[in-house]
């Protein structure tokens, strides 16, 4: 008997042996690309549909406008009234194109988009995941934001304190009495001391190793006393404030909370305050509480003792987590088995003060909040969320992809957590305002990593809230955007009903008393930098060394505004906002806090190489009367390039010099009345102490204290050479 082993034959050979025809591979249809980008002046947008595996029958498919997703309006921005049917004859290969007429209007607007979907195929099947196309219409009417230019920054020079990568220049402090700069060099583990005597040619004075004390994070200086915020060699243990004299000689140190990240003197010099971040270790087995340490500095350095240090934590808020979350404050630290308490979760980042030195304002960056601290009582008086950007609203567009070749500042159904880093205060008509640099930040530890790509399978979108999730997850749309997986699942079912990304890409102005946001710059910083005639070439580039890569931070936090400071010049309040990634500083007139005006944008970074100033972080304004040249200065500490940059400040084409007998800053005397001991002055003063009859009894030369020993009881007047007069009572 003959045995035919058909079961060993390949399927096609078997079909032939049996006299049957082999099945043809099914024809498939798909969008040739998931995204199309075209200028509105192009006249038409072309969407290509491809056929694969052509067969012996014709194939048809409809292309329909997809509802529920898009910012472009049919009939206004483009014309597409009815479904388009495409027919591919039998044996067809290649593709067909749908041409969509565009309207070239005269409106300046963000990039707009709409979507097409393939449906109802006949004679073919659709390729899963390739049925939709997102069409971007790039506006051709947008112009660069107008710059008032009534103030001008002129780059005077930059000083590099060592090779980048082995050194850094994160925070800079200026001492007008010595005309020295003190730079926190955290990578090099040093306190660098520089001479600012010639702002265009800064020179090194000394470099002090911080190895005996820990890791330097921040520095402040007052009247020749240098105070450094130093984290412990075990970062979760209490940190320290280490004091040096003007030459870097150690004086004393006191203990503060864990991981002091920022340090600052109050305007009157009575307090020295640190923001203690209290970050956990990688596996969250040691999570210290965040805190603020207030050092009594009323008696100057001689009066500083450990007993005069009050570290204020947030334990009073423990048990209020649900209420705080409902108010918009992010609390999500710890592990499932051991969630963080409120006190552990809150992480102070930066400190600013009111003009009267009565209140400190502290950003809690990861928590998206600002805390208010009464300096007299050492008690927190408020804890408020700073909210988020709604990127679906006009004025809040963003460029969300590092893989889309074009700049596509568009509105999307996402929210941006402001997560401010630095803040500064200013006053207008008796009201105190705060300005925050909305950098953004994410917790990334072994035990807790919240950042995830929106396009990742690990970030499922709710099908009801986002019926067109596939388009959003395209890498040229939102797929590359980093978002948090710790917020947005509103119904607890494991998918995300709201999308939150990191950072506002903006600055905000808040009423300090109420916490209300009176202004947010929205997409202004990205519009400004993308249209800059020079630096638009490195729009949203990272601050890494080497050739800048345009748009490689668009998927993260964009320009990352990080530093901010304010100044009053003549009758105008200015704010200076530095951008950590792309670099440079933008200047704004904030005299009308609800309607700031852009004044200027400057940058000293190369657009072709890794030279110039990169990664600005610390920012300091030097008033004319405190400047070595008599001209106001703006100083930037650039972390990545390890440079300190100095800009001269000019107003309306004229150099601003120190003018006449004008007080440098409010002058406060304390204690007042005095009991026959030394009286502290809120700033260095040259002048004369006169008795009630106007007779001089003491002469001062850049003094920060006044001896009253030997003075008869009575009323005296301190007359400062810069025009400030203050009454002093001696008992």
């Amino acid at each position: 008997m003959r045995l035919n082993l058909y079961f060993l034959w390949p399927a096609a050979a078997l079909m032939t042996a049996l006299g049957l025809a082999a099945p043809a591979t099914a024809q498939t249809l798909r969008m040739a690309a998931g995204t199309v980008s075209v200028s509105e002046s192009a006249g038409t947008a072309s969407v290509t549909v491809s056929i694969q595996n052509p067969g012996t029958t014709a194939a048809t498919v409809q292309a329909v406008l997809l509802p529920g997703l898009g910012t472009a309006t049919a009939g206004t921005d483009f014309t597409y009234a009815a479904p388009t049917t495409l027919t591919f004859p039998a044996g067809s290969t290649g593709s067909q194109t749908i041409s969509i007429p565009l309207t070239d209007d005269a409106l300046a607007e963000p990039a707009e988009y709409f979507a097409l979907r393939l449906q109802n195929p006949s004679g073919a099947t659709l390729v899963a995941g390739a049925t939709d196309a997102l069409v971007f219409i790039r506006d051709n009417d947008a112009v660069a934001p107008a710059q008032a230019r009534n103030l001008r920054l002129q780059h005077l020079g930059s000083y590099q304190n060592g090779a980048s990568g082995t050194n850094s220049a994160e925070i800079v402090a200026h001492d007008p009495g010595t005309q020295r700069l003190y730079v926190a060099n955290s990578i090099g583990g040093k306190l660098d001391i520089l001479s600012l005597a010639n702002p265009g040619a800064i020179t090194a004075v000394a470099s002090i190793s911080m190895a005996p004390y820990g890791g330097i994070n921040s520095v402040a200086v007052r009247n020749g006393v240098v105070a450094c915020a130093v984290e412990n060699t075990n970062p979760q243990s209490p940190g320290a404030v280490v004091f040096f004299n003007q030459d870097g000689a150690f004086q004393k140190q006191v203990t503060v909370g864990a991981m002091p990240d920022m340090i600052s003197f109050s305007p009157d010099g009575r307090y020295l305050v640190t923001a203690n971040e209290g970050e956990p270790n990688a596996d969250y087995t040691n999570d210290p509480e965040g805190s603020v340490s207030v050092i009594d500095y009323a008696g100057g350095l001689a009066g500083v003792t450990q007993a005069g240090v009050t570290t204020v934590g947030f334990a009073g808020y423990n048990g209020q987590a649900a209420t705080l979350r409902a108010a918009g404050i992010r609390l999500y630290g710890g592990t499932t088995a051991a969630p963080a308490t409120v006190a552990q979760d809150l992480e102070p980042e930066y400190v600013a003060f009111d003009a009267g030195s009565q209140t400190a304002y502290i950003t809690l960056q990861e928590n998206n909040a600002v805390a208010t601290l009464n300096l007299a009582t050492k008690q927190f008086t408020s804890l408020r969320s700073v909210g988020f950007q709604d990127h679906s609203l006009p004025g809040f567009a963003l460029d969300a992809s590092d893989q889309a070749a074009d700049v596509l500042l568009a509105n999307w159904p996402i929210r941006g957590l402001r997560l401010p880093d630095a803040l500064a205060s200013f006053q207008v008509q008796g009201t105190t305002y705060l300005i925050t640099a909305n950098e953004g930040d994410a917790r990334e530890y072994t035990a807790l990593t919240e950042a995830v790509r929106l396009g990742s399978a690990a970030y499922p979108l709710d099908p009801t809230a986002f019926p067109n999730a596939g388009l959003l997850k395209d890498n040229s749309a939102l797929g590359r955007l980093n978002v948090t997986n710790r917020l947005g699942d509103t119904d607890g079912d494991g998918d995300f009903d709201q999308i939150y990304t990191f950072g506002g890409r903006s600055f905000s102005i808040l009423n300090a008393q109420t916490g209300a946001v009176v202004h947010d710059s929205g997409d202004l910083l990205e519009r400004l930098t993308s249209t800059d005639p020079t630096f638009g070439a490195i729009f949203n580039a990272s601050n890494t060394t080497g050739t800048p890569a345009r748009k490689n931070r668009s998927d993260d936090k964009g320009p990352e505004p990080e530093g901010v400071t304010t100044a009053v010049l003549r009758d105008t309040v200015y704010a200076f906002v530095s951008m950590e990634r792309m670099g440079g500083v933008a200047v704004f007139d904030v005299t009308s806090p609800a309607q700031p005006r852009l004044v200027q944008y400057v940058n000293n970074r190369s657009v072709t190489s890794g030279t110039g100033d990169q990664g600005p972080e610390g920012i300091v304004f030097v008033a004319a009367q405190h400047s070595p040249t008599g001209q106001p200065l703006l100083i930037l500490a650039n972390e990545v390039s390890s440079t300190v940059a100095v800009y001269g400040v000019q107003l309306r084409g004229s150099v601003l010099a120190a003018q006449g007998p004008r007080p440098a800053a409010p002058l406060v005397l304390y204690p007042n009345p005095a009991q026959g001991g030394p009286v502290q002055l809120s700033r260095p003063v040259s002048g004369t102490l006169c008795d009630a009859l106007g007779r001089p009894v003491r002469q001062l030369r850049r003094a920060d204290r006044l001896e009253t020993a030997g003075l008869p009881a009575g009323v005296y007047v301190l007359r400062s050479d810069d025009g400030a007069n203050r009454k002093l009572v001696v008992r």
Side-chain angles (χ1 to χ4, degrees), residues 450-698:
E450 66 168 315
V452 62
R453 300 282 187 189
L454 189 148
S456 168
Y459 191 80
L461 293 175
D462 181 84
T464 301
F466 302 103
N468 303 309
L471 283 170
L472 295 179
K473 285 175 171 284
D474 187 282
N475 282 347
S476 293
L478 299 180
R480 294 282 298 167
L481 186 67
N482 277 304
V483 295
T484 177
N485 60 15
R486 294 288 166 155
L487 187 65
D489 181 6
T490 59
D491 53 14
D493 64 353
D495 58 28
F496 290 89
D497 312 277
Q498 297 172 341
I499 301 170
Y500 289 89
T501 188
F502 301 102
R505 308 189 181 200
S506 67
F507 66 85
S508 298
I509 297 178
L510 294 77
N511 182 303
Q513 180 67 32
T514 65
V517 176
V518 300
H519 176 79
D520 189 280
S521 65
D523 55 25
L524 175 60
L525 295 181
E526 281 193 292
R527 288 193 291 114
L528 170 66
T529 52
S530 66
T531 56
D532 188 274
T534 299
F535 296 98
I538 59 169
F539 168 69
N540 277 357
S542 187
N543 54 14
T544 52
T545 56
T547 303
R550 179 176 177 265
K551 278 173 58 74
N552 71 337
R553 294 298 292 183
S554 288
D555 58 321
D556 207 332
K557 293 167 283 186
E560 293 188 32
E562 175 155 353
V564 62
T565 192
T566 59
V568 179
L569 297 174
R570 297 181 183 165
D571 58 351
T572 303
V573 185
Y574 291 96
F576 305 86
V577 181
S578 64
M579 287 174 267
E580 179 183 9
R581 292 293 172 173
M582 186 170 162
V585 60
V587 186
F588 297 88
D589 176 349
V590 295
T591 309
S592 177
Q595 295 179 312
R597 290 195 309 152
L598 174 64
V599 176
Q600 189 187 17
Y601 171 65
V602 296
N603 198 339
N604 187 49
R605 178 183 183 178
S606 169
V607 298
T608 58
S609 66
T611 58
D613 300 315
Q614 295 167 264
E617 186 158 334
I619 182 169
V620 172
F621 181 84
V622 178
Q625 54 267 45
H626 294 159
S627 167
T629 64
Q631 175 191 14
L633 303 174
L634 187 73
I635 303 173
L636 289 177
N638 300 279
E639 178 182 10
V640 174
S641 57
S642 218
T643 54
V644 177
V646 182
Y647 290 85
V649 181
Q650 295 179 330
L651 194 61
R652 297 187 181 91
S654 300
V655 174
L656 278 167
Q659 298 176 0
R662 181 178 179 181
L667 176 59
V668 180
L669 286 60
Y670 52 90
N672 189 9
Q675 302 291 336
V679 171
Q680 292 295 131
L681 311 182
S682 62
R683 57 179 173 82
V685 167
S686 296
T688 306
L689 181 70
C690 301
D691 64 15
L693 298 177
R695 296 172 297 191
V697 294
R698 293 275 195 280

Side-chain angles (χ1 to χ4, degrees), residues 172-517:
V172 61
H174 171 250
D175 182 22
T178 60
Q179 292 305 337
R180 288 181 174 180
L181 300 178
Y182 297 87
V183 181
N185 181 344
S186 63
I187 294 178
K190 298 179 290 185
L191 169 67
D192 293 324
I193 305 175
L194 311 175
S195 171
L196 189 67
N198 180 355
I202 295 173
T203 57
V205 175
S207 190
I208 311 302
S209 172
M210 298 300 292
Y213 315 104
I216 184 170
N217 287 331
S218 185
V219 61
V221 62
R222 187 176 182 86
N223 302 334
V225 176
V226 186
C228 297
V230 178
E231 70 178 50
N232 201 297
T233 52
N234 173 11
Q236 283 69 49
S237 295
V241 171
V242 183
F243 294 92
F244 300 91
N245 70 8
Q246 65 185 37
D247 299 316
F250 173 80
Q251 303 297 297
K252 64 174 62 175
Q253 74 179 65
V254 293
T255 300
V256 294
M259 205 174 291
D261 197 46
M262 191 269 182
I263 187 168
S264 184
F265 285 96
S266 61
D268 65 3
R270 185 177 180 85
Y271 304 103
L272 181 60
V273 179
T274 62
N276 310 314
E277 197 162 7
E279 288 184 348
N281 61 356
D283 62 6
Y284 255 102
T285 56
N286 187 355
D287 186 8
E289 295 184 354
S291 62
V292 176
S293 293
V294 182
I295 301 171
D296 186 346
Y297 200 77
L301 180 59
V304 171
T305 64
Q306 189 62 50
V309 180
T310 303
T311 295
V312 188
F314 296 90
Y317 290 97
N318 286 342
Q320 301 181 40
T323 301
L324 294 172
R325 288 191 186 101
I329 295 171
R330 301 182 75 213
L331 300 169
Y332 60 101
T335 63
T336 302
T341 66
V342 173
Q344 290 173 315
D345 204 288
L346 297 176
E347 296 186 5
E349 184 82 22
Y350 205 93
V351 178
F353 302 91
D354 70 331
S357 301
Q358 299 176 348
T359 304
Y361 305 98
I362 303 101
T363 53
L364 309 168
Q365 185 170 25
E366 287 79 359
N367 312 103
N368 202 38
V370 171
T372 304
L373 178 69
N374 184 306
L375 290 169
T377 65
K378 315 296 192 298
Q379 297 290 321
F380 289 110
T381 57
S382 70
L383 189 59
R384 298 187 177 102
S385 169
V386 296
F388 56 82
Q389 318 287 61
D390 185 342
H391 288 296
S392 69
L393 297 178
F396 290 89
L398 79 164
D399 186 74
S401 175
D402 61 340
Q403 292 190 2
D406 298 311
V407 173
L408 299 173
L409 282 167
N411 294 110
W412 295 100
I414 59 176
R415 303 176 181 190
L417 295 163
R418 290 190 171 108
L419 303 169
D421 187 335
L423 81 166
S425 69
F426 63 97
Q427 284 192 311
V428 174
Q429 296 181 350
T431 298
T432 298
Y433 295 90
L434 304 176
I435 179 168
T436 61
N438 301 328
E439 176 200 23
D441 201 6
R443 283 179 170 154
E444 297 182 85
Y445 304 105
T446 303
L448 189 164
T449 299
E450 66 168 315
V452 62
R453 300 282 187 189
L454 189 148
S456 168
Y459 191 80
L461 293 175
D462 181 84
T464 301
F466 302 103
N468 303 309
L471 283 170
L472 295 179
K473 285 175 171 284
D474 187 282
N475 282 347
S476 293
L478 299 180
R480 294 282 298 167
L481 186 67
N482 277 304
V483 295
T484 177
N485 60 15
R486 294 288 166 155
L487 187 65
D489 181 6
T490 59
D491 53 14
D493 64 353
D495 58 28
F496 290 89
D497 312 277
Q498 297 172 341
I499 301 170
Y500 289 89
T501 188
F502 301 102
R505 308 189 181 200
S506 67
F507 66 85
S508 298
I509 297 178
L510 294 77
N511 182 303
Q513 180 67 32
T514 65
V517 176

Side-chain angles (χ1 to χ4, degrees), residues 25-39:
T25 304
Q27 297 184 109
T28 60
L29 297 167
R30 61 169 296 153
M31 291 292 191
T35 58
V36 174
S37 176
V38 60
S39 171

Side-chain angles (χ1 to χ4, degrees), residues 49-112:
V49 180
S50 301
I51 188 168
Q52 297 170 314
N53 306 317
T56 58
T57 60
T60 63
V61 70
Q62 284 185 327
V64 298
L65 188 64
L66 188 61
L69 178 68
T71 56
T73 304
T76 301
D77 300 304
F78 65 98
T79 302
Y80 199 87
T84 295
T85 299
L86 301 177
T87 300
F88 292 81
S92 291
T93 60
S95 60
Q96 293 191 30
T97 299
I98 305 169
S99 294
I100 305 165
L102 303 178
T103 302
D104 187 0
D105 59 32
L107 301 174
E109 53 198 352
E112 298 176 303

